[in-house]
Amino acid sequence: MERRIRLALVGLNFGRHIAEHELLDGHGAPHVELAGICDLDHGKAAALAARYGVRHYGTLDEILKDPAIEAVALYIPPHGRARVIEQCLSAGKHVMTTKPFEDDVPAARRALEMARSRGLVIHLNSPAPAPCGEFLRFREWEQEFSLGRPVSAFWETHARYSEVADGTWMDDPELCPAAPVFRLGIYGIADLIELCGPAIECRVLQNRTETGRPTMDNGMLSVRFENGCLGCIAASFRVDNGTPYRNTLLIHYEHGSVTRSIPCLNVPERKIQIGLQAVQNGVPVVRQEFIDEAGRAGQYQWGEFNRAIREKLSIQPEYINRIVGTVELINQFRDQAVRELFLSV
């Protein structure tokens, strides 16, 4: 039987959902034991620790000094996260965290290389450490039908947010540039980099009409990839059509197209639909398949996290490059977004 990883979670603003739906009762529970939680709001952390039946740690330092804790799940803002990750690594703790990894390229690479040099594990949900189900199938189709190079790629999601300013990093245009792209579209950035290769140029469009925050609520990012593929990532906080977080991906290759459709959150027992349209021996080919929600891109791979720690698998350079690639693209469109905002004032 698999020996679970003893883990402490830091940051309950986003981490509470992970604790309750993935670690205490979810697909992470067989692989990870939630042993403690920590948050700047000590009252909330203490109350939730009592409810979960786990230890309340007053500070991160308390966690790092506890030899019983093998790993830390960090759900803190991305700005400066690499520095906190380095503290965890220095204490010999493995790290699971979330997208976006960081907003500073050298800091991101330094933390990842530190993990590699020390034989410690860093995983996040997007980009994921191991190929997910739909992307493995896309690769098989690429070979089977000789699809060729990707030519154009489109990724889109939406929801309806009625947020108000609260003084957090999500109110700061520098820390949260083109906010829907940064907060939701970051999944699309990771997906397209994995499928289409390194990105070399981007342009961002954004506007703000209804949000109560000073940051934007509608955004679109166009990307040029090293291999010539052109991509578009669109995300919005302004759309309420009854399908929140519905996610659509379309890639046209030289000799065919693939699609992925993720249903909205309120669909029970969600199945992810993928499709192929191509030509084989002069005959049109159309395929549709379904994969489980737990195996798709953007999900936390807790089983892979456990395996990497138990088998002492170092973080690979290819994964480091994919993570850093997303941070590099973030830096490009952040600079554009902030400059545009400044010029419009």
Side-chain angles (χ1 to χ4, degrees), residues 294-325:
R296 72 166 174 87
Q299 298 291 84
Y300 291 92
Q301 296 181 348
W302 297 108
E304 190 68 23
F305 187 58
N306 183 298
R307 187 176 76 88
I309 292 173
R310 293 291 178 241
E311 297 182 13
K312 303 185 186 304
L313 302 178
S314 297
I315 184 170
Q316 294 300 300
E318 183 273 338
Y319 188 41
I320 291 176
N321 290 335
R322 280 197 288 127
I323 296 172
V324 173

Side-chain angles (χ1 to χ4, degrees), residues 25 53 75 81 87 114 117-119 131 160 187 208 219 225 238 245 256 259 274 300 306 322:
D25 184 19
Y75 293 94
R81 187 187 295 159
Q87 293 176 359
M114 180 179 177
S117 69
R118 297 186 176 217
R160 181 73 173 194
Y187 291 108
R208 173 180 178 270
F225 294 89
R238 290 170 45 192
Y245 304 109
T259 61
I274 59 174
Y300 291 92
N306 183 298
R322 280 197 288 127

Side-chain angles (χ1 to χ4, degrees), residues 68-86:
I69 296 297
E70 299 174 84
V72 178
L74 282 177
Y75 293 94
I76 61 177
H79 181 68
R81 187 187 295 159
R83 175 182 52 80
V84 181
I85 289 174
E86 288 184 355

Side-chain angles (χ1 to χ4, degrees), residues 84-107:
V84 181
I85 289 174
E86 288 184 355
Q87 293 176 359
C88 297
L89 298 174
S90 295
K93 310 299 185 186
H94 306 279
V95 175
M96 175 68 86
T97 191
T98 188
K99 53 75 188 174
F101 182 73
E102 241 291 352
D103 61 3
D104 182 292
V105 176

Side-chain angles (χ1 to χ4, degrees), residues 205-226:
L205 292 174
Q206 58 178 340
N207 60 22
R208 173 180 178 270
T209 59
E210 297 182 16
T211 180
R213 296 188 186 275
T215 44
M216 302 297 178
D217 55 14
N218 199 31
M220 185 175 294
L221 186 70
S222 57
V223 184
R224 183 162 66 93
F225 294 89
E226 197 174 82

Side-chain angles (χ1 to χ4, degrees), residues 60-338:
L60 174 63
D61 192 52
E62 288 182 21
I63 293 173
L64 301 185
K65 290 180 179 178
D66 187 347
I69 296 297
E70 299 174 84
V72 178
L74 282 177
Y75 293 94
I76 61 177
H79 181 68
R81 187 187 295 159
R83 175 182 52 80
V84 181
I85 289 174
E86 288 184 355
Q87 293 176 359
C88 297
L89 298 174
S90 295
K93 310 299 185 186
H94 306 279
V95 175
M96 175 68 86
T97 191
T98 188
K99 53 75 188 174
F101 182 73
E102 241 291 352
D103 61 3
D104 182 292
V105 176
R109 186 172 289 280
R110 186 172 58 246
L112 292 162
E113 293 291 355
M114 180 179 177
R116 180 167 173 77
S117 69
R118 297 186 176 217
L120 294 169
V121 175
I122 296 179
H123 283 183
L124 59 157
N125 59 331
S126 180
C132 58
E134 69 265 43
F135 293 170
L136 286 171
R137 197 71 178 112
F138 289 171
R139 296 301 187 202
E140 291 173 356
W141 284 340
E142 287 174 13
Q143 297 298 315
E144 182 180 354
F145 297 96
S146 302
L147 297 181
R149 294 178 302 178
V151 174
S152 55
F154 305 88
W155 188 100
E156 183 273 339
T157 194
H158 57 264
R160 181 73 173 194
Y161 286 8
S162 300
E163 297 181 317
V164 296
D166 57 6
T168 65
W169 63 275
M170 290 179 285
D171 287 342
D172 188 330
E174 277 200 72
L175 301 181
C176 192
V181 176
F182 191 73
R183 293 168 57 187
L184 297 180
I186 192 69
Y187 291 108
I189 291 173
D191 287 354
L192 295 195
I193 287 176
E194 180 167 352
L195 292 168
C196 302
I200 58 175
E201 182 184 8
C202 70
R203 295 288 185 273
V204 65
L205 292 174
Q206 58 178 340
N207 60 22
R208 173 180 178 270
T209 59
E210 297 182 16
T211 180
R213 296 188 186 275
T215 44
M216 302 297 178
D217 55 14
N218 199 31
M220 185 175 294
L221 186 70
S222 57
V223 184
R224 183 162 66 93
F225 294 89
E226 197 174 82
N227 59 10
C229 179
L230 300 179
C232 177
I233 297 161
S236 180
F237 295 149
R238 290 170 45 192
V239 178
D240 182 11
N241 62 1
T243 61
Y245 304 109
R246 183 180 177 86
N247 181 299
T248 302
L249 169 68
L250 163 65
I251 300 181
H252 293 301
Y253 294 83
E254 294 171 299
H255 305 294
S257 305
V258 298
T259 61
R260 180 192 65 191
S261 179
I262 301 176
C264 64
L265 277 183
N266 33 9
V267 173
E269 298 183 9
R270 297 198 301 173
K271 291 287 186 179
I272 312 307
Q273 180 174 326
I274 59 174
L276 165 78
Q277 186 168 341
V279 177
Q280 191 172 50
N281 299 323
V283 179
V285 176
V286 177
R287 290 188 179 176
Q288 288 190 343
E289 298 179 8
F290 292 88
I291 64 170
D292 289 334
E293 162 78 1
R296 72 166 174 87
Q299 298 291 84
Y300 291 92
Q301 296 181 348
W302 297 108
E304 190 68 23
F305 187 58
N306 183 298
R307 187 176 76 88
I309 292 173
R310 293 291 178 241
E311 297 182 13
K312 303 185 186 304
L313 302 178
S314 297
I315 184 170
Q316 294 300 300
E318 183 273 338
Y319 188 41
I320 291 176
N321 290 335
R322 280 197 288 127
I323 296 172
V324 173
T326 66
V327 181
E328 289 173 337
L329 202 59
I330 287 170
N331 272 254
Q332 285 192 47
F333 79 74
R334 177 185 62 190
D335 293 345
Q336 294 177 35
V338 172

